[in-house]
């Protein structure tokens, strides 16, 4: 066993509810939430700020932009900052969402993100969410969760979250297509660990999925 505090990993495709679930699980366990996607997003936003057509972005220029990104530990989470400031609206915006998968293919950037995530877990118990937390970053985590839901269910949740109302059929169709396209772009690094516990959230409430994961974590956490 590694000499590090307890880790839970939660991986899965886009909009499977990883981050909100991870945040609630972390809260229930008294651990910190680590959202690895927020680092990929912050680096993408920093690179957008530096200009140029995205087709011209080299890995070197992306790593250069990553120097503007820092991770500030809060009470319950780590906040990705650009030039020292949290920029949640910018990093969650459409421009970043459209380009982040391209940036996340870059091998040295992945190593950079993985180092930040592992550093966060040296001093605190963490619940880390992303795509490869259980396969690459913490392959020996005592609990690895693979969160899945049908694309149409994920698309509906995402629209509800964004607009606060039920989607129109054409909106649902467009959002489902967009999610499936991102799943495809991210497919190489989005794999379940062989020993992950699969949680299909299509037919259960968020409270149920959180309770299930917390129960598993408490069983596996050393006293
Ligand atoms: O989780 P979220 O959707 O915010 O992640 C944004 C993007 O960051 C993903 O679409 C993926 O390209 C990338 N990502 C990744 N590996 C992770 C977390 C996120 O490649 N561990």
């Amino acid at each position: 066993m590694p000499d590090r505090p307890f880790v839970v990993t939660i991986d899965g495709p886009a909009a499977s509810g990883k981050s909100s679930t991870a945040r609630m699980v972390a809260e229930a366990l008294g651990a910190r939430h680590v959202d690895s996607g927020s680092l990929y997003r912050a680096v993408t936003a920093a690179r957008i700020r530096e200009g140029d057509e995205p087709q011209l972005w080299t890995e070197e220029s992306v790593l250069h932009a990553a120097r503007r990104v820092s991770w500030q530990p809060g009470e319950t989470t780590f906040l990705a900052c650009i030039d020292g400031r949290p920029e949640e609206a910018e990093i969650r915006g459409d421009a970043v969402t459209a380009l982040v998968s391209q940036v996340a293919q870059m091998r040295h950037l992945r190593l950079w993100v993985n180092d930040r995530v592992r550093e966060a877990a040296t001093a605190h118990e963490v619940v880390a969410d992303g795509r490869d937390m259980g396969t690459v970053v913490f392959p020996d985590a005592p609990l690895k969760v693979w969160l899945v839901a049908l694309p149409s269910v994920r698309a509906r949740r995402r629209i509800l979250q964004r607009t606060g109302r039920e989607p129109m059929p054409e909106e649902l169709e467009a959002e489902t297509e967009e999610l499936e396209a991102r799943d495809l772009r991210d497919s190489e690094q989005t794999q379940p660990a062989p020993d992950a516990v699969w949680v299909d959230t299509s037919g259960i409430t968020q409270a149920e999925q959180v309770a299930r994961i917390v129960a598993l974590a408490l069983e596996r956490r050393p006293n």
Side-chain angles (χ1 to χ4, degrees):
M1 290 291 281
D3 187 17
R4 102 154 76 76
F6 185 68
V7 175
V8 176
T9 63
I10 302 184
D11 290 308
S16 54
K18 300 180 299 289
S19 284
S20 50
T21 303
R23 191 172 55 243
M24 292 164 88
V25 171
E27 198 180 318
L29 295 175
R32 286 193 186 176
H33 172 213
V34 174
D35 173 1
S36 58
S38 69
L39 278 184
Y40 288 102
R41 287 177 174 276
V43 172
T44 306
R47 184 64 189 84
I48 290 173
R49 286 187 185 188
E50 297 194 351
D52 307 328
E53 290 298 306
Q55 302 89 284
L56 301 178
W57 294 358
T58 59
E59 180 156 13
E60 205 181 9
S61 73
V62 168
L63 287 168
H64 187 267
R67 293 201 216 151
R68 299 172 65 176
V69 173
S70 58
W71 225 8
Q72 293 181 3
E75 277 286 294
T76 57
T77 189
F78 289 81
L79 209 53
C81 295
I82 308 172
D83 299 333
R85 294 162 59 145
E87 303 284 6
E88 274 299 296
E90 184 177 343
I91 76 168
R92 308 275 161 204
D94 290 344
V96 168
T97 301
L99 292 167
V100 62
S101 305
Q102 166 187 339
V103 165
Q105 306 291 330
M106 296 174 171
R107 205 175 80 80
H108 288 95
L109 180 68
R110 297 199 74 78
L111 297 175
W112 181 88
V113 168
N114 295 349
D115 282 349
R116 303 283 87 70
V117 173
R118 288 195 194 98
E119 270 165 31
T122 53
H124 306 278
E125 290 193 350
V126 299
V127 180
D129 83 81
R131 301 293 193 287
D132 56 352
M133 296 296 104
T135 48
V136 176
V137 182
F138 301 113
D140 42 21
L143 176 61
K144 301 171 194 171
V145 175
W146 179 251
L147 214 57
V148 284
L150 293 170
S152 59
V153 172
R154 293 187 269 136
R156 174 177 168 268
R157 286 186 191 147
R158 178 140 289 191
I159 297 171
L160 262 176
Q161 196 178 40
R162 200 167 53 222
T163 64
R165 57 163 177 76
E166 282 294 334
M168 314 285 276
E170 58 277 14
E171 268 179 319
L172 188 62
E173 201 179 316
E175 188 77 21
T176 305
E177 273 174 24
E178 201 267 312
L179 277 181
E180 286 176 326
R182 187 144 68 98
D183 286 350
L184 193 66
R185 292 198 294 274
D186 289 335
S187 55
E188 202 181 316
Q189 47 272 348
T190 309
Q191 303 294 337
D195 53 347
V197 178
W198 286 53
V199 178
D200 186 336
T201 71
S202 301
I204 58 174
T205 65
Q206 188 163 52
E208 284 168 328
Q209 43 169 306
V210 170
R212 197 177 291 180
I213 298 168
V214 169
L216 286 167
L218 292 176
E219 271 169 26
R220 296 181 190 199
R221 180 159 74 174
N223 291 318

